[in-house]
Amino acid sequence: TTEAKSIGKQIGESVLEAASFASPTGLFNTKLGIEKAAKATQTTLKTKPSISIDIAGSTSANIVELDTEASITGATITRYSTGTTDKADVLVEALNNTIISAGSGAGAFNFSTGSTTAVAVSGAIAVGILDNTTTATIDSSSITNAGNVAVRALASGSETLIGLGMSVATASSGYSMSMSVSVGIITDSVNAELKNSTITGNSNAAASGRQLVVQSYQETDIAIGGGSLAIGNSGGIGFTVTYAEISDPSETRSAAGA
């Protein structure tokens, strides 16, 4: 208050000096204006903030592109045998086991008591993008006196995405808003392929020992979710958005020419 009066007085004296020089007859009215200016300055400095705002946010993201490949390409495999049951067992196997977790949380707490209005806003976003490829291939190859031949592409794992938001405003005029967004996009593929190849089994070996297997298999556990909490004496808004897009362009095939 003392500082406000001093500032008002200094402003007033400067204005008074200029006004007196320009128009001595208007000195009385000028003094009245100075007093009003000083009071206005004092009132302004006494005014308390009318609003208090707390904002909190967080984001987490996982972007994964793993390529796992096992292949035999352009090879000649022969088990030399002279009328015996000797045979060549061939296994081409690609394995992928990926575990991905992403969590995001934010909290805004406004316990203000000196402000007219209190606002608390929080937001959390969790994003996971998986584009893994697991491939097993025998291509442009020749296998003679073959026994068991297997081409396998196997994938497993899990993806977990969680977003949590919380806002609290305790003032008499308290407003809160909370939001969470979880987005998962998964396009993992598993491919097993036998193409442009010749496989000749050993006719002297038992049929049970001359099996051909081309196999692809995928098992992934997916959990995507979120939550929000908004508490305000005058109002609160909370919302959660969860989005999942899952595709599986996997293939298992013995192509023409195999």
Side-chain angles (χ1 to χ4, degrees):
T1 302
T2 304
E3 183 181 358
K5 289 181 178 179
S6 175
I7 294 172
K9 185 177 179 182
Q10 292 176 10
I11 295 172
E13 288 177 351
S14 298
V15 174
L16 175 59
E17 183 178 352
S20 299
F21 177 79
S23 178
T25 57
L27 183 58
F28 180 74
N29 292 332
T30 304
K31 285 184 176 180
L32 291 178
I34 292 170
E35 292 178 358
K36 291 182 179 180
K39 289 181 179 179
T41 304
Q42 180 179 350
T43 302
T44 301
L45 293 178
K46 282 185 175 181
T47 302
K48 295 180 179 179
S50 60
I51 186 170
S52 173
I53 301 176
D54 285 353
I55 300 175
S58 69
T59 302
S60 64
N62 283 330
I63 300 175
V64 182
E65 295 183 9
L66 296 178
D67 292 333
T68 304
E69 183 176 357
S71 66
I72 295 177
T73 303
T76 299
I77 301 174
T78 300
R79 173 78 182 197
Y80 290 103
S81 175
T82 56
T84 68
T85 59
D86 294 339
K87 60 188 188 308
D89 291 333
V90 179
L91 173 62
V92 180
E93 189 173 62
L95 301 175
N96 185 346
N97 183 22
T98 305
I99 299 175
I100 301 296
S101 298
S104 181
F109 303 94
N110 193 327
F111 301 118
S112 176
T113 58
S115 300
T116 304
T117 302
V119 178
V121 179
S122 67
I125 300 174
V127 177
I129 300 175
L130 272 67
D131 186 18
N132 297 329
T133 301
T134 304
T135 305
T137 307
I138 295 179
D139 183 14
S140 303
S141 297
S142 174
I143 303 175
T144 304
N145 288 329
N148 293 319
V149 178
V151 183
R152 292 191 179 99
L154 309 173
S156 63
S158 66
E159 180 183 30
T160 304
L161 297 174
I162 298 176
L164 298 173
M166 181 176 182
S167 298
V168 178
T170 60
S172 56
S173 295
Y175 301 89
S176 65
M177 183 177 74
S178 176
M179 62 164 282
S180 69
V181 178
S182 301
V183 177
I185 300 175
I186 302 167
T187 56
D188 291 347
S189 65
V190 179
N191 308 294
E193 190 171 22
L194 173 62
K195 62 182 180 179
N196 303 322
S197 298
T198 301
I199 299 176
T200 304
N202 186 337
S203 59
N204 295 315
S208 60
R210 292 183 284 123
Q211 302 295 317
L212 173 62
V213 176
V214 180
Q215 180 185 33
S216 64
Y217 178 79
Q218 179 171 215
E219 180 180 359
T220 303
D221 297 326
I222 301 169
I224 301 174
S228 63
L229 175 65
I231 300 175
N233 280 332
S234 296
I237 299 175
F239 64 91
T240 298
V241 177
T242 299
Y243 175 79
E245 180 179 325
I246 302 170
S247 63
D248 184 6
S250 298
E251 291 184 335
T252 302
R253 63 177 180 170
S254 177

